[in-house]
Each structure stands twice: as C-alpha cells, then as structure tokens.
Amino acid sequence: MTGVFLANKAYLLHATYLLASLAFVLGLRDMNSARTARRGMFLAEGGMLLAIIGTLLHQEIVTFEWIAAGLVVGSLVGIPMGLWIPMTAVPQRTALSHAFGALAVALVGVAHFYGAYGLGEVLGPWWHGLTGADLTVLPVEGLTLFERAALGFEVILGSLTFTGSLVAAGKLQGTLPGRPITYRGQNIINMLVIVLMVGLWGYVVAHPEQSHLFYALVGVSLVFGLSLVLPIGSADMPVVIAILNSYGGLAASATGFALSNNVLIIAGALDGGSGLILSLLMCKAMNRSWGNVLFGAFGKAPEAGQAADTEGLVVKPTDLEEAHMILDMAESVIIVPGFGMAAAQAQHALRDFAIQLEKKGVKVRYAIHPVAGRMPGHMNVLLAEANVPYDQLFDLDHINDDFKTTSVALVVGANDVVNPAAKEDPSSPIFGMPILNVDEARTVIILKRGMSPGFSGVENLLFYKDNARMLFGDAKASLATLAAKMKE
Amino acid sequence: MEELAKHFNLPVEGLSFLPILVGMYVFLLAVIIGYLVISKVPPLLHTPLMSATNAISGISLVASIVTAGSAKPVSQVLGMLAVTAATINVVGGFLITDRMLRMFKKKDQIQ
C-alpha cells in the first residue's frame, strides 16, 4: 500500500512540474503585448505555486523547519524588493536578483556535491581538527559522470553569476565606481583564470573523490565573476545585465541536468534564451560584438574616445524664454529620453510638460533607443510609471524617419544615442552605431546639466549643429518651469 | 530495466545516460520554444520580461526545498540559504513584474 501511495505522490510531483512548465511557456507568450502580459504572469505565478506545493509533498523531504525558515525570510525580503523599490532603481534591483538566483543554484550544487562526496581527504581532517566533526567521507551515494559534469557547470555558472551580478549592482547603484576598473596584464590573468577553471572542472569530473578541488573550483569561479564585470563600464551595463541573466538561466538548466529535473531545465532554458536574445539586441544597437563589450575595456586607454575635432565650432546655449517660444510654435515634438532623465528623476515633470504641449494641440511622441538607460526597456518603464500612454512610445526603427518632418526634437538626458558622430566620423569609437536622427528635426533642444561627454567619453557633435540649442540646468527644474510657462 | 534499455536502443549499463539524453531533448526544445516566444516580446516590455524570466528561473526554489529538507545538517543550512535566495526572487520578481505591467496603459485607458 505504502509503495503505491509513494508512487502516486511521485506522479503528482511530475504532474505539477509538467503543468508549471506549460504555465511558464504560455505566460511568457502572453508577454507579446502589454494587453495580455499581466494575465500571462498570473498564469506563471499559478504554475510556480503548483510546483512548490508539489515539491513540499516530495517523499525525500524529512524535515520542514529549515524550509519554512527560508520561505519566511525570503518572503520578508522579497516583498519590499518587489513593492517599494523605486522604478529608477530597477536596473540594480534586477542585477541583485540575478545574484540571488545564481546564489541559490550555486548553494544547491555545493550541497549536492557535498552530499555525495563529503569534504574529502584534504579538507575533512582540517575541518575535524577545527570543529571535531568528521565530514571527510559521508555514506557515499556517488554521482554518474554526466551528473558530475552538469554539477560542475552548475557551480561554475552559479558562482560567477553571483559575484558578477553583485559587481554590476554595485556599479549601477553607484557603490562601486562606474568607470572600467582595469590593470596591466588583465587579459592574460583572466585567460589564466579561465584555463584554471576549465582544468579544475575536467579534473573534478574525472576524480570527484578529490573533493577539495571541487570547492576550489567554486572559489575560482567566484573570483572570475568579479574579474569579468569589474573592467566593464556602467554604459555597457544593459548588455552585461542581459548576459548575466542568460548565465543565471543556464545555471538553473545545469541544475536540472544534475538532478534530472525537467522543469528546472525548461525554466532555465527560457531564462537563458531570453537573456541571450536581449544581449544580442543590445549589442546590435551599439554596433559592437559580444566579445568587444565583455573584453573591450581590457588594455584600452580611458581617454581613447576624444577623437572628434570640435575646434572652431561653438555650441548655442539657450534659455527658458527662448525654449518656450520655440516649443510654443511647434506642431510636433519628439522627446528623446536617456539615462540623464532617470538620474534627474525627471519622468513625472516630463509628463506634466508633455500634457501642456498636447493641450496646445502639439503632437507629442517619444523615441526610445534600445540602449537608452541602464537596462533593456528601462526608459519605457520609467515613462509608463509617469503615466505616459505606451502608444506614444516608439522604437528606433519606427520613428527614425519622422524626425525630418518634426518641429522640435527634445533630448532629455540622452547623449551617445543621439550623437551624429556615429554616422559622420569614421574615427569615432561609436562609429556605425545606429542612432536616433534628432539632428534632422527643424530644431533640437538639448536638456543637459553641463558639457560633459557621454559615458563612452565621446564628444557629441550634435551640440555643435546649427539647429541645436543647449538648455543647461537640471532637467526636472527646466521641464517644470517650461510646463508652468505653457500654462500661462 | 532491460526493456527500457531496449526501447532506447541502449546497452543496459548505459542506462545512466538516459536522464541526460531525455534532458537534452527537453533543453533543446525549450531553447527553441523560448527563442520563438521571447523574440515576439516588444522592446516596450523588455524590462518586465527580464524580471519575469528572473522570477520564473526562481523555480530553482524546488531544488532548494529538497536540499533544505534533507537529513544532512550541512545540506539543511545550505538549502535554507538557497530557499531564502530563491524565494526572494520568486516573490519579489513576480511582484515587481506585476507592478510594472500595471503601469503600461493605452491613452484611452489613462483618461
């Protein structure tokens, strides 16, 4: 009888996993439009809940205290992270959640290996001397060759994604310096670390009884995550976040292989695939290869970008009066937001200003470059938060031809993504990058704090164009004043 | 067992390979489905997409739960930490995804 019952429970578990997999795929399919996306996420949440309940009924679980503690603490941290983090902080929050996901996977991997092989002949006696507990050799279950190989991938990807994501979050939050951190010989040292990692992986897969080397592999992977992201500047974070997203997903898939758990394989593949697609889109939008983003900062002098010759050219500053006049006469305005808008928290002021424009009968649209901001889709979320209707938000491809028939292009905190050097100056480091053709508008008004170059360190030729006017000052304050003037 | 091996045309001693083989099929098909589904997501929703896939990969929670529920003290502690980290992602990830998706409205829905 018991046997039949257990067997039924196992069927039940697999049924919940199957339904969860289905819910994840269908839920992500519903993300193809803003209208159905919420429904899709409810479906995915339902699938997740089902899988968790199914797992709690799992016959291998002998104690529930630790599970309950983790679920409670995790919920207590997760709820504020979901509900109260401001939208401007979403990039660092996303990086942080990649770190948490990877940490979970790495810990599961370490526990899995430990359960099968213990601490080993080297670490075991040392631990015994330290604490008196003998964990050298456990009642060995052993793992197959393939399980060991998958387990190796799992801890490598999990560990490096964990530390790499922490660095990315630190850079985005401003806790760590945003510029690339480089040192002489970085490329060579990183290559050596990769070789060491692959070597350790191969050796441990073949000789798992040398347990200490497995734990060394975890350590080396943690270090590699640091050295992978530290040399990458803040402006490249959209790509880095997407790549780390992909690694985190693949780590979850590897866990699925190590544990023969299909729902993990599927969810990990969906996550990994999504990160990969996003990172490729971001790279395309910057006209750079994957390798160039990941390893581009190595050995590159920071001042390399100052190629553009702007001598003899002058910028034309304007004031709020003139800007108001130009906007007052406009028939159509395209607003181009960038990271500066997020930094100045100017999205609400921008929306208020746009409402005043619309009241005067001006056609207002927004042009969103794929790498504007610090993560894919960053600007769309901020503008949606400020209640900008999403049918006014347009991608690069869909709006770029309309600038030439537009009265005013208003650039709010965007820089590299509107730099005509990408089209005109073959010596520029951003040459070839697809940009928004704001210089084709009748007038360009650029809201900017000062003349500092963008994150790529490249001088912006747009500022020197005849039809460009610089409106210096805090974007939020300028927009609020302009909105007030419009109301009069 | 022998029947199973015969079905998959594998030698009996090669049966340990079976889960990996099945896993490979599942992985490849999931990658293809993922590619088809996700390339249809508009750039408008790329940020919620990332937080959604992040929450979904929090399914590693199920592996964490099994680890934390085992009889070995070391696994219990590591598993508890893993459950905590994965729960943060599942709970926080779905909450913030929904919060973002609620903000995306059409013009006629705002007025």
Side-chain angles (χ1 to χ4, degrees):
Chain A
M1 272 310 278
T2 332
V4 175
F5 180 60
L6 282 181
N8 282 341
K9 251 173 135 180
Y11 286 134
L12 199 65
L13 180 70
H14 286 290
T16 61
Y17 285 0
L18 193 62
L19 286 172
S21 308
L22 190 67
F24 295 159
V25 172
L26 293 179
L28 284 177
R29 189 202 55 181
D30 282 350
M31 289 282 277
N32 65 13
S33 111
R35 200 172 41 80
T36 53
R38 275 191 86 196
R39 183 186 71 195
M41 282 305 104
F42 288 137
L43 195 61
E45 286 161 30
M48 181 71 75
L49 192 64
L50 207 58
I52 293 169
I53 294 172
T55 310
L56 288 172
L57 300 173
H58 199 290
Q59 63 264 33
E60 275 173 32
I61 293 177
V62 294
T63 159
F64 284 92
E65 294 92 331
W66 296 95
I67 298 173
L71 287 174
V72 170
V73 176
S75 301
L76 287 179
V77 181
I79 290 171
M81 274 191 71
L83 290 183
W84 297 325
I85 283 197
M87 284 297 147
T88 40
V90 162
Q92 47 268 48
R93 197 216 85 95
T94 306
L96 207 56
S97 66
H98 292 156
F100 283 129
L103 175 67
V105 164
L107 288 170
V108 166
V110 171
H112 191 189
F113 184 90
Y114 164 81
Y117 298 102
L119 281 183
E121 299 291 342
V122 177
L123 289 177
W126 167 78
W127 186 251
H128 184 61
L130 213 62
T131 63
D134 188 9
L135 306 175
T136 308
V137 188
L138 296 174
V140 170
E141 294 149 21
L143 299 171
T144 66
L145 184 71
F146 298 105
E147 283 170 336
R148 297 199 296 266
L151 190 54
F153 274 126
E154 178 187 341
V155 294
I156 289 176
L157 287 171
S159 308
L160 76 86
T161 307
F162 173 58
T163 49
S165 297
L166 284 182
V167 173
K171 280 182 181 252
L172 289 165
Q173 177 70 29
T175 324
L176 291 172
R179 57 183 54 253
I181 299 172
T182 51
Y183 54 86
R184 198 192 290 270
Q186 199 159 25
N187 256 335
I188 296 166
I189 291 183
N190 274 299
M191 285 310 288
L192 287 176
V193 175
I194 293 178
V195 170
L196 182 65
M197 231 162 50
V198 174
L200 275 173
W201 173 78
Y203 193 82
V204 168
V205 170
H207 305 281
E209 67 287 349
Q210 302 279 330
S211 303
H212 59 286
L213 292 178
F214 173 84
Y215 303 106
L217 177 63
V218 175
V220 174
S221 307
L222 288 171
V223 173
F224 183 68
L226 295 178
S227 70
L228 189 68
V229 182
L230 276 174
I232 304 176
S234 290
D236 287 341
M237 281 303 141
V239 185
V240 173
I241 289 193
I243 290 175
L244 290 169
N245 180 9
S246 171
Y247 287 171
L250 292 178
S253 265
T255 314
F257 277 104
L259 298 169
S260 305
N261 184 331
N262 285 336
V263 71
L264 276 175
I265 296 180
I266 292 171
L270 293 174
D271 193 26
S274 155
L276 189 68
I277 291 175
L278 290 178
S279 66
L280 292 174
L281 282 176
M282 297 297 111
C283 284
K284 198 175 142 224
M286 295 200 291
N287 191 36
R288 293 171 64 185
S289 70
W290 236 50
N292 183 274
V293 173
L294 278 181
F295 303 107
F298 293 168
K300 188 177 104 183
E303 62 280 324
Q306 304 286 357
D309 183 19
T310 52
E311 231 166 280
L313 295 171
V314 282
V315 299
K316 288 163 281 303
T318 183
D319 54 18
L320 290 161
E321 285 298 331
E322 195 194 358
H324 172 228
M325 249 166 56
I326 296 169
L327 288 160
D328 208 39
M329 291 187 300
E331 282 158 27
S332 57
V333 172
I334 297 181
I335 299 170
V336 182
F339 178 68
M341 180 189 80
Q345 306 260 4
Q347 66 271 31
H348 296 282
L350 180 61
R351 169 65 174 155
D352 292 341
F353 160 76
I355 288 175
Q356 295 307 324
L357 277 180
E358 287 182 316
K359 276 189 184 155
K360 302 222 162 191
V362 180
K363 184 182 181 191
V364 179
R365 284 175 295 171
Y366 299 78
I368 316 281
H369 193 278
V371 292
R374 288 297 164 77
M375 73 179 287
H378 190 187
M379 292 297 119
N380 298 301
V381 168
L382 291 180
L383 291 173
E385 186 200 16
N387 258 326
V388 174
Y390 68 73
D391 35 18
Q392 289 184 353
L393 309 177
F394 292 88
D395 312 336
L396 180 84
D397 298 338
H398 292 111
I399 203 163
N400 231 2
D401 291 336
D402 292 2
F403 278 105
K404 46 182 174 289
T405 54
T406 296
S407 326
V408 180
L410 185 74
V411 179
V412 186
N415 197 339
D416 293 337
V417 298
V418 292
N419 191 345
K423 287 185 294 188
E424 296 164 7
D425 178 9
S427 69
S428 170
I430 62 167
F431 184 72
M433 169 173 155
I435 59 154
L436 288 161
N437 298 325
V438 288
D439 54 324
E440 290 177 0
R442 201 163 66 211
T443 314
V444 188
I445 300 179
I446 301 136
L447 272 67
K448 205 168 177 340
R449 223 172 318 167
M451 276 304 287
S452 64
F455 295 102
S456 66
V458 188
E459 189 79 55
N460 196 333
L461 295 182
L462 175 69
F463 304 161
Y464 302 94
K465 295 267 173 185
D466 284 338
N467 58 343
R469 299 285 178 279
M470 306 291 295
L471 182 55
F472 290 113
D474 177 58
K476 195 174 167 182
S478 301
L479 287 166
T481 317
L482 283 174
K485 279 183 184 295
M486 295 266 169
K487 246 184 233 176
E488 280 162 16
Chain B
M1 282 306 253
E2 274 173 39
E3 240 173 74
L4 197 61
K6 217 163 133 193
H7 178 74
F8 284 93
N9 221 352
L10 288 169
V12 177
E13 61 271 22
L15 267 183
S16 69
F17 184 59
L18 196 58
I20 301 288
L21 193 68
V22 175
M24 284 291 181
Y25 281 107
V26 171
F27 180 72
L28 286 177
L29 290 174
V31 166
I32 291 167
I33 290 173
Y35 184 84
L36 292 176
V37 167
I38 286 155
S39 36
K40 293 223 167 60
V41 177
L44 177 74
L45 297 179
H46 276 171
T47 298
L49 169 70
M50 203 181 263
S51 63
T53 53
N54 205 246
I56 286 173
S57 78
I59 188 72
S60 56
L61 178 58
V62 302
S64 313
I65 287 176
V66 176
T67 307
S70 84
K72 300 185 188 77
V74 174
S75 296
Q76 287 169 353
V77 175
L78 294 178
M80 195 268 289
L81 293 174
V83 170
T84 308
T87 307
I88 293 174
N89 267 8
V90 171
V91 174
F94 278 126
L95 281 176
I96 202 165
T97 307
D98 191 59
R99 203 174 125 210
M100 286 193 268
L101 291 176
R102 253 181 310 168
M103 299 185 314
F104 286 97
K105 295 190 189 92
K106 277 194 156 172
K107 195 158 191 189
D108 44 307
Q109 289 170 302
I110 289 173
Q111 272 127 24

